[in-house]
Amino acid sequence: MSKFHITGGVRLSGETVINGAKNAVLPILAATVMNGNFNIIKDCPNLKDVRTMLQILDAIGCDTRFEGNTITVNSKPLDTYTIPENLVSEMRSSIFLLGPMLSRCGRVVLSYPGGCEIGPRPIDLHLKVLKSLGVSINESHGFLECRAENLKGCTIQLDFPSVGATENAMLASVEADGITRIKNAAKEPEIVDLQNFLNAMGARISGAGTSEIYIEGKRKLKEVEYSIIPDRIFAGTILAAVAGTGGEVLLKNVISEHLSIVLSKFIEAGCSIKEEKNEIYFKASKKLNAVETIKTLPYPGFPTDMQSQFLSLMTIAKGTSIITETIFESRFKIVDELSKMGSKVKVDGRTAIITGVDQLTGARVFAKDLRGGAALVIAGLAAKGETIVENVCHIDRGYDKLDVCMNNLGGKIIRED
Ligand code: UD1
């Protein structure tokens, strides 16, 4: 298993170009099965999850290519409506295929996506929206068999603005008869990107980015060429790493509006930020101030995907911070790892109380999930001495060469495979 050897204490500075968003590209790749045609997707990050999604598309009969940052998917032929079990178990995002496969084939068989390192991730909301569109679902022996003779547009009231369930509802209703309204929809930028992609393919969807999405079904779909939005979480992670080392950075290809609340927390911590069109210039303060409270919430609230990175940063801030995680219950696993580096964090249920210390010291730590892994890299870069981050595979799932990116800014990370 790969590990990172990080020599901490080096001030990061320079420029970074942000690549396409993991959470946008995955549902969009799943959506390429819908048109039975050519799809060209640009600005794709080269991530393990993206490659797994391509393996799934190949396995069901599509012809895929990944060259540079461009993916082409020819979904003309489809050999099967059964998604291979071994690939589903590798990646929870395979549930994004439910909606597109029902739209294309009226049928899909998928093994039940298992638990996840950040806590139980049920799919009840996904299944509920599909049922309201007229899908019959048979769950047995760990498999889901979904059939839709006739997808029918309807009003879907989500109990919670789940990102994935909103996306599956959009994907399935593109081929439904009549109008579908999704109420209490998630408003994340990646939902807007999916709407824009589907509309470029010929669908008629409006309202993404608000709590009500409106889909006019059964439009003729055509081939499509599309560029993925920049990854706001990758951008936020780099800013956190730079902040931890007291450095400065120019981020290029970034939409600062997608990072509004995250940027406001960096400002509270004493960092300075200049936003230009598609660029952010960021300078860390010499000593970070504690951000008093952070509470993760659905967009436009503070993203759960940035929580671990901020927790890591607050361990070396001046004062006490309180972080409340409301989306995923097991996202405080890094606390034990950070304590090996000398941090002072107490966890009480969904709340972490962080008392900043002067400095962290290098230690051998274990990445247990994607964002927590990135947070340990941030801690290692800021710490005194050498930090070894084990289980880098978790980080590689969602970051396209995080080590190379940090090294380009002057960081000292050696990957050992
Ligand atoms: C997506 C993102 C993930 C991010 C999360 C929240 C992708 C590929 N992943 O995940 O990086 O952390 O949004 O911003 O886009 N829930 C249910 N039942 C369901 C579905 C969800 O109870 O059927 C619960 C989850 O357990 C969780 C909450 O709803 O507590 C939010 O989940 P959701 O918004 O669905 O996240 P994902 O789409 O899985």
Side-chain angles (χ1 to χ4, degrees):
M1 281 230 211
S2 302
K3 52 180 92 167
F4 285 160
H5 294 260
I6 306 173
T7 305
V10 182
R11 183 176 178 271
L12 299 182
S13 73
E15 280 183 21
T16 302
V17 181
I18 303 301
N19 53 18
K22 161 185 167 286
N23 288 353
V25 75
L26 292 171
I28 285 177
L29 283 176
T32 59
V33 302
M34 290 165 67
N35 59 356
N37 212 321
F38 283 95
N39 300 268
I40 301 173
I41 323 283
K42 296 179 170 170
D43 290 338
C44 297
N46 191 347
L47 305 172
K48 173 133 192 321
D49 279 4
V50 169
R51 293 192 297 271
T52 305
M53 184 60 90
L54 294 184
Q55 276 179 281
I56 293 179
L57 294 176
D58 284 332
I60 58 175
C62 299
D63 185 13
T64 70
R65 245 170 241 191
F66 198 167
E67 283 166 352
N69 287 323
T70 301
I71 292 177
T72 50
V73 182
N74 174 4
S75 61
K76 265 185 191 147
L78 279 193
D79 301 335
T80 175
Y81 50 78
T82 301
I83 314 296
E85 191 182 353
N86 60 321
L87 296 173
V88 173
S89 64
E90 267 187 44
M91 185 184 62
R92 179 184 152 88
S93 295
S94 27
I95 51 167
F96 288 131
L97 282 151
L98 287 176
M101 291 297 282
L102 286 164
S103 274
R104 171 81 186 269
C105 316
R107 208 166 162 189
V108 58
V109 178
L110 187 97
S111 57
Y112 211 90
C116 165
E117 65 276 5
I118 53 174
R121 290 174 89 172
I123 58 167
D124 54 318
L125 297 172
H126 295 250
L127 301 185
K128 199 168 162 190
V129 301
L130 295 178
K131 280 181 190 157
S132 37
L133 287 162
V135 176
S136 62
I137 299 172
N138 184 8
E139 293 177 68
S140 67
H141 306 293
F143 280 87
L144 287 168
E145 185 172 3
C146 308
R147 279 174 194 250
E149 304 300 332
N150 237 331
L151 288 165
K152 271 216 159 70
C154 65
T155 296
I156 296 168
Q157 175 71 50
L158 283 171
D159 297 328
F160 176 85
S162 150
V163 174
T166 302
E167 290 171 335
N168 252 329
M170 289 164 78
L171 291 160
S173 53
V174 164
E175 277 304 314
D177 268 327
I179 307 289
T180 300
R181 278 189 186 80
I182 308 170
K183 295 189 168 185
N184 196 24
K187 300 181 208 156
E188 270 68 2
E190 294 74 20
I191 308 255
V192 180
D193 212 34
L194 181 61
Q195 165 180 286
N196 292 342
F197 172 78
L198 291 170
N199 284 347
M201 196 192 255
R204 186 171 284 180
I205 308 179
S206 56
T210 74
S211 58
E212 189 162 333
I213 302 176
Y214 181 90
I215 302 117
E216 219 180 291
K218 282 254 186 280
R219 312 252 322 163
K220 191 165 164 35
L221 302 182
K222 54 179 197 250
E223 61 178 50
V224 56
E225 184 170 334
Y226 192 77
S227 298
I228 300 291
I229 51 165
D231 196 319
R232 61 195 167 104
I233 305 300
F234 201 123
T237 303
I238 292 170
L239 294 184
V242 171
T245 67
E248 59 191 307
V249 71
L250 177 67
L251 295 186
K252 293 186 162 179
N253 187 37
V254 63
I255 302 173
S256 57
E257 189 196 333
H258 294 171
L259 280 156
S260 286
I261 189 137
V262 173
L263 296 182
S264 76
K265 295 295 172 188
F266 279 119
I267 291 169
E268 252 181 270
C271 304
S272 58
I273 289 166
K274 248 194 233 153
E275 299 169 40
E276 303 277 345
K277 192 172 178 281
N278 298 333
E279 288 186 357
I280 294 176
Y281 170 73
F282 177 94
K283 191 164 194 263
S285 56
K286 276 219 170 78
K287 178 76 188 165
L288 294 166
N289 298 323
V291 175
E292 277 175 27
T293 55
I294 293 177
K295 187 176 187 180
T296 63
L297 286 169
Y299 190 84
F302 190 90
T304 175
D305 284 351
M306 277 301 300
Q307 185 263 100
S308 304
Q309 299 88 317
F310 256 82
L311 193 152
S312 197
L313 210 52
M314 289 301 104
T315 63
I316 48 166
K318 191 167 159 240
T320 301
S321 316
I322 297 177
I323 297 186
T324 308
E325 173 59 58
T326 75
I327 312 286
F328 291 114
E329 62 193 45
S330 304
R331 269 207 156 150
F332 287 139
K333 283 187 187 161
I334 56 156
V335 167
D336 287 345
E337 301 305 306
L338 286 172
S339 75
K340 296 177 190 166
M341 301 176 74
S343 68
K344 282 192 187 162
V345 184
K346 274 194 189 138
V347 175
D348 183 7
R350 287 183 169 244
T351 300
I353 302 155
I354 305 127
T355 310
V357 296
D358 270 348
Q359 196 165 37
L360 297 176
T361 43
R364 181 166 174 242
V365 290
F366 289 80
K368 293 177 179 167
D369 62 66
L370 164 59
R371 306 302 171 186
L376 292 175
V377 172
I378 292 167
L381 287 165
K384 191 172 162 216
E386 193 193 37
T387 296
I388 298 172
V389 180
E390 302 269 4
N391 294 346
V392 163
C393 54
H394 287 297
I395 302 172
D396 290 337
R397 271 204 316 105
Y399 291 92
D400 188 353
K401 302 182 201 76
L402 188 62
D403 48 337
V404 174
C405 175
M406 297 301 175
N407 288 348
N408 286 341
L409 295 173
K412 288 190 179 164
I413 306 181
I414 297 170
R415 180 187 283 263
E416 182 190 330
D417 283 320

